[in-house]
Amino acid sequence: CRNLTVVAGVVPSLRPGFNTTNVRNPQELEAGCCDLCNQAGDVACEAFFTGPKRELCVLYPRGSVAHTSPMFNHSSAFRGAVPQPAPPTPPPAYPGGSLDQKLVVLSQAQADGYGAKCLDGSPPAIYYAPARGAANANNWVLYFKGGGWCWNEASCASRSTGQLGGTGSLPLNLSDVWDKSSGPLHPNTTLNPTFGNYHRVLLWYCDGASFAGNIANPVTNTTGNTTTTMHFRGQQVLDSIIGFLKQPEYGLGDAANVLVTGCSAGGMATYLQADKVCAAVANPALAKCRAAALSGFFLDHPTASGRPLTHDNYEYMMHMQNMSGGVNQHCVAAAGAVGCATPQQNYVHVQTPFFVMNSMLDAYQMGNILEVGCTWPHCNQTQVTEMAAYQQSFRSTITSIGTFSKPGNGAFLDNCVIHCGEQDYEGFNTFTLPAPGGPIVMQAALSKWWEGASGQLAADHTYIEPCTLAGPVDCNPSCSTSRPASL
């Protein structure tokens, strides 16, 4: 998704400090087209191919008709297109609420005590909202922020100049830089009844490798006449944040219940870091530490043309950032560091009770792993067939891993073509899957698993979309509220 042109549709200033410019800054574009759309909390997005490897991304308010403008010719905006049905009906009115976390940046002394640095050398940061009510005083959500990865030194150098590479320009309110309409981090207890009153912490992502890198000395990259100094210290960033939160002022050291979660690159961090985090917060009062990864199971799968792009990217990043100590250590002991570069490989060895929340047709994976090359649902039959095969591969791969059926675990695997829908009202409170007692919504499935007894049967908390994509139409009607996705 390089060479993007971002064009404003009819996006008004929806709240102070929120406008088209800061929906997504240019330094973050390489994180992916779908991330570009998903980062915009109150807007939707459509992407159209306008030339080889070039896209036009148009942002517009959810529910608007900006995308029907005659300036966009759907029949010629993407390769191999076939006529498609009208767009789905917009979702019901959103019941309301913005993320309420406030910025807390670790002091330089606190960061230096762990050797923790973002890519640009700045100290780590969190966005924090305290628990509400005495009953939740020791209950926590620890949420790894996502935002893609930097696959090589040059892309890490570019990333280091933006908010995904440092904390120096972050605003006070999380909602001004990253606002999501639902999910386990949200304060609205109508949308998020189980976790809405917990301590809710977003761990700001600023290392480019899912909190896993560990290079002692600075790394430099020279592009043209510009030399950039970077720091690959993701492990120390995570250690410093956990240590900071365990101070009496916050009280994580006395936690009774902890959910470790995150989406996209933060979902990958959940696979890599869940065991480490749960070990770090262990204390006599800890009753429950569990993990739920959102859109983080990135399949180790070739592109539609057969290139091992994803495998090669993860392996290079593993070596570049020396991630061997920052991935699941049971995996490293069993397979060596090179065998633990992907979420798929780490999941095999996760000991923490684990709930997988993922689309088997995840939009990021369709565009950046499979490289199917269309804008859903404007895909031709060949592209649909490639996607359906990927769905089957995803299902067979994850269900064959022993962790999937291990007591205490569970999963919600839909096939809605969206990335990180678990963070938004359209996904978390809308997507449904078949269940023994009748269809179950994503949010209810997560809560049911969380509230279940230790060692509960995984089969009692596993929900998998039974239908397979046959044409350019969602086979699960609850997917119809999801946004168009560039693949």
Side-chain angles (χ1 to χ4, degrees), residues 320-373:
M320 175 182 68
Q321 291 225 20
N322 185 30
M323 295 167 58
S324 59
V327 299
N328 184 284
Q329 292 303 288
H330 296 102
C331 182
V332 174
V338 73
C340 302
T342 69
Q344 179 177 326
Q345 295 163 325
N346 282 261
Y347 181 54
V348 174
H349 302 278
V350 173
Q351 304 298 305
T352 301
F354 208 96
F355 194 76
V356 177
M357 302 173 72
N358 224 107
S359 170
M360 296 177 286
L361 292 173
D362 180 277
Y364 177 90
Q365 298 189 47
M366 296 300 97
N368 296 277
I369 295 179
L370 185 61
E371 291 190 337
V372 70

Side-chain angles (χ1 to χ4, degrees), residues 108 116-124 156-170 204 206-208 218-219 228-233 237:
Q108 194 62 58
K117 299 178 185 292
C118 295
L119 284 172
D120 68 355
S122 58
C156 288
S158 174
R159 187 185 185 96
S160 71
T161 65
Q163 290 177 331
L164 285 175
T167 57
S169 63
L170 296 178
W204 191 258
C206 65
D207 67 285
V219 176
T228 304
T229 299
M230 301 167 288
H231 304 268
F232 296 154
R233 305 287 286 171
V237 168

Side-chain angles (χ1 to χ4, degrees), residues 254-269:
D254 297 319
N257 298 290
V258 178
L259 175 69
V260 182
T261 185
C263 204
S264 192
M268 174 170 165

Side-chain angles (χ1 to χ4, degrees), residues 3 20 27 53 96 131 197 217 220 290 295 307 318 324 414 445:
N3 300 320
T20 306
Q27 288 82 6
K53 296 185 180 299
N197 286 325
N217 297 316
T220 60
R290 298 180 180 178
S295 294
R307 295 185 299 125
M318 166 72 79
S324 59
D414 61 80

Side-chain angles (χ1 to χ4, degrees), residues 64-397:
S64 79
V65 295
H67 58 289
T68 63
S69 167
M71 71 178 285
F72 304 121
N73 183 346
H74 286 189
S75 66
S76 61
F78 49 91
R79 68 173 177 84
V82 294
Q84 302 300 323
T89 302
Y94 173 57
S98 291
L99 296 178
D100 59 344
Q101 289 82 355
K102 302 292 185 181
L103 176 67
V104 181
V105 180
L106 275 64
S107 71
Q108 194 62 58
Q110 290 164 331
D112 289 346
Y114 290 87
K117 299 178 185 292
C118 295
L119 284 172
D120 68 355
S122 58
I126 60 171
Y127 279 91
Y128 171 74
R132 295 178 292 198
N136 294 299
N138 294 313
N139 296 336
W140 292 77
V141 175
L142 301 177
Y143 195 103
F144 292 110
K145 186 186 180 299
W149 306 270
C150 48
W151 300 122
N152 53 48
E153 290 82 356
S155 64
C156 288
S158 174
R159 187 185 185 96
S160 71
T161 65
Q163 290 177 331
L164 285 175
T167 57
S169 63
L170 296 178
L172 174 63
N173 299 309
L174 178 58
S175 60
D176 288 336
V177 67
W178 189 84
D179 202 5
K180 297 300 173 183
S181 59
S182 191
L185 201 64
H186 206 275
N188 186 322
T189 54
T190 298
L191 301 169
N192 182 27
T194 301
F195 307 105
N197 286 325
Y198 285 18
H199 296 275
R200 288 163 292 107
V201 186
L202 180 130
L203 286 67
W204 191 258
Y205 180 35
C206 65
D207 67 285
S210 292
F211 299 83
N214 181 23
I215 298 289
N217 297 316
V219 176
T220 60
N221 177 81
T222 301
T223 301
N225 296 323
T226 302
T227 297
T228 304
T229 299
M230 301 167 288
H231 304 268
F232 296 154
R233 305 287 286 171
Q235 291 180 44
Q236 289 74 25
V237 168
L238 176 56
D239 291 345
S240 68
I241 291 174
I242 297 299
F244 176 75
L245 289 171
K246 289 173 70 175
Q247 297 178 113
E249 179 183 354
Y250 291 95
L252 180 61
D254 297 319
N257 298 290
V258 178
L259 175 69
V260 182
T261 185
C263 204
S264 192
M268 174 170 165
T270 307
Y271 287 98
L272 272 55
Q273 313 295 354
D275 286 356
K276 174 179 179 176
V277 172
C278 285
V281 301
N283 72 86
L286 186 66
K288 184 188 304 183
C289 187
R290 298 180 180 178
L294 320 180
S295 294
F297 193 86
F298 297 94
L299 203 60
D300 189 356
H301 191 282
T303 66
S305 63
R307 295 185 299 125
L309 175 65
T310 297
H311 185 85
D312 291 350
N313 280 341
Y314 279 127
E315 281 206 352
Y316 188 85
M317 183 174 68
M318 166 72 79
H319 292 294
M320 175 182 68
Q321 291 225 20
N322 185 30
M323 295 167 58
S324 59
V327 299
N328 184 284
Q329 292 303 288
H330 296 102
C331 182
V332 174
V338 73
C340 302
T342 69
Q344 179 177 326
Q345 295 163 325
N346 282 261
Y347 181 54
V348 174
H349 302 278
V350 173
Q351 304 298 305
T352 301
F354 208 96
F355 194 76
V356 177
M357 302 173 72
N358 224 107
S359 170
M360 296 177 286
L361 292 173
D362 180 277
Y364 177 90
Q365 298 189 47
M366 296 300 97
N368 296 277
I369 295 179
L370 185 61
E371 291 190 337
V372 70
C374 58
T375 299
W376 182 257
H378 309 291
C379 301
N380 63 34
Q381 192 57 48
T382 297
Q383 293 161 336
V384 169
T385 300
E386 291 170 348
M387 293 169 67
Y390 191 97
Q391 177 186 343
Q392 292 303 309
S393 180
F394 189 106
R395 177 171 178 157
S396 63
T397 297

